[in-house]
Amino acid sequence: MKKILLVLDAAHIDTEIIHFACNFASLSHSTLTGLFYGNYEEEQPEVKMEFGAPYIEEPPVYSMGPNITLQQLEEHMTQFKSTCAVRGVRCDVHFDNTSYGSESIITESRFADFLIIKASATRERKLKDTPTPFVKDVLAAAECPVLVAPASLSEIKEIVFAYDGSRSAVFAIKQFTYLFPELSDKKAVVLQVNKDEDMPVTEQEHMGKWLRLHYSSIGFQVLQGKASEELFAYLYDRQHAIVVMGSYGRNGLSELIKPATASPLLKTINLPFFITHC
C-alpha cells in the first residue's frame, strides 16, 4: 500500500484522527493525503465613495461557511503537515471546495489504496445522526476500501472478520489482509451469525487454512440468532478491535452486511469499521 486518504473537515482540525491515520501510514510506509472538504466563496469587496472618489473598504476575504477563512484553512493544512512530520509520515494535502456532495472524494478514492473517514463527517452545519448521509454516500460509492473511524480511537490489538460465507465477506478479509500484512501478529477472529443452531461455520476449513498463512493467531466464533442483534451484542463491550465487513449499500447483500445492520453498528459501536466492495 502506498496512498492513504484521510477525509478532514476544513473548518475543524481533528488531531486525534490525524494521529490515528498516521499509525496506519507508519505501519504500511504509505503517504497520507489530507483530503480537506468544505465550501468557500469569494466575498466581493464593497466599493464606497468618499470625497468624490471610490475606494475599497476591505480586501477580498474568502469564507468557508460562517466560521472559517482561507487563512484558517491554511493554518489547518499546516497543522496537518506538522503532525505528519513529527510522526515521520510522508504527506500531501488536497482541498475539495465543491458543493454539498461526495463526488470529489469518490474520484480521489479511485486512485488511492485506502480511505479513512470519521463516522460524524458531514457537510451540514448541524450533526443530526451518525453515520451521516455524507459518510453513507462515501461508503456506498467509494472505489477503494474505507475505514470508518469512531468518536474515540485506540490501539488495535484484535481483528474481527464479520463473515457470512459470501463472496463479498471473503473479498473484504483478503483486501484487509493484503493491505496490512504488518498486522499478522494480531489476534484474528472469524465471526459468523447463524439462525440455525446446528449450522457449522461456512467453509471453515478452507478459510482457516488461508488465514493461518497470514495470521499467527486465529479463531472462529459462531453465534445463533438475528445477525444485527448478535453482532451488536458481541461487539458492544469490545475494545482495541477493528471490524472488517463486506460491501455497504450494494444489492444482493446478506443480512449481516445490509445498511440496516451496518448503520446502527457504526452509530453505536465505538470501534473502527473496515468496509469494502467487490
Side-chain angles (χ1 to χ4, degrees), residues 192 194 196-204 222:
Q192 183 174 16
N194 294 325
D196 186 346
E197 183 175 344
D198 300 320
M199 184 185 297
V201 174
T202 307
E203 300 176 351
Q204 178 172 336
V222 181

Side-chain angles (χ1 to χ4, degrees), residues 193-196 223-233 255-256 260-261:
V193 181
N194 294 325
K195 292 182 178 179
D196 186 346
L223 304 176
Q224 280 76 45
K226 187 176 179 180
S228 56
E229 297 174 358
E230 295 300 324
L231 189 57
F232 177 87
E255 181 184 2
L256 184 62
T261 300

Side-chain angles (χ1 to χ4, degrees), residues 11-171:
H12 305 284
I13 195 70
D14 186 339
T15 54
E16 185 179 24
I17 197 171
I18 294 173
H19 280 288
F20 180 75
C22 281
N23 290 339
F24 282 99
S26 297
L27 188 70
S28 58
H29 307 288
S30 301
T31 296
L32 180 62
T33 298
L35 183 55
F36 290 79
Y37 67 89
N39 297 279
Y40 77 83
E41 58 183 10
E42 184 178 2
E43 296 178 358
Q44 297 297 327
E46 185 177 357
V47 179
K48 293 188 175 182
M49 297 293 293
E50 187 170 331
F51 304 113
Y55 76 98
I56 297 176
E57 185 175 41
E58 293 182 357
V61 174
Y62 290 84
S63 66
M64 297 183 57
N67 299 317
I68 192 167
T69 64
L70 183 60
Q71 179 182 352
Q72 290 172 310
L73 168 64
E74 292 173 346
E75 289 174 355
H76 291 167
M77 287 184 169
T78 298
Q79 189 171 349
F80 167 77
K81 292 177 182 178
S82 299
T83 302
C84 290
V86 169
R87 296 291 305 272
V89 171
R90 297 188 306 275
C91 71
D92 192 9
V93 293
H94 177 78
F95 175 51
D96 168 27
N97 67 334
T98 56
S99 59
Y100 290 80
S102 57
E103 294 84 2
S104 179
I105 293 174
I106 301 308
T107 299
E108 291 291 323
S109 75
R110 184 175 303 168
F111 306 102
D113 300 307
F114 183 48
L115 185 149
I116 300 174
I117 188 170
K118 212 156 189 178
S120 57
T122 182
R123 285 185 180 275
E124 299 176 2
R125 293 187 178 182
K126 293 183 179 181
L127 177 62
K128 297 180 179 179
D129 202 0
T130 56
T132 64
F134 178 58
V135 173
K136 291 179 181 179
D137 288 345
V138 171
L139 280 172
E143 298 185 26
C144 72
V146 178
L147 187 144
V148 182
S152 59
L153 305 164
S154 60
E155 179 187 0
I156 294 173
K157 298 181 180 179
E158 180 184 20
I159 306 163
V160 178
F161 294 117
Y163 180 63
D164 62 353
S166 70
R167 172 188 172 197
S168 176
V170 174
F171 182 79

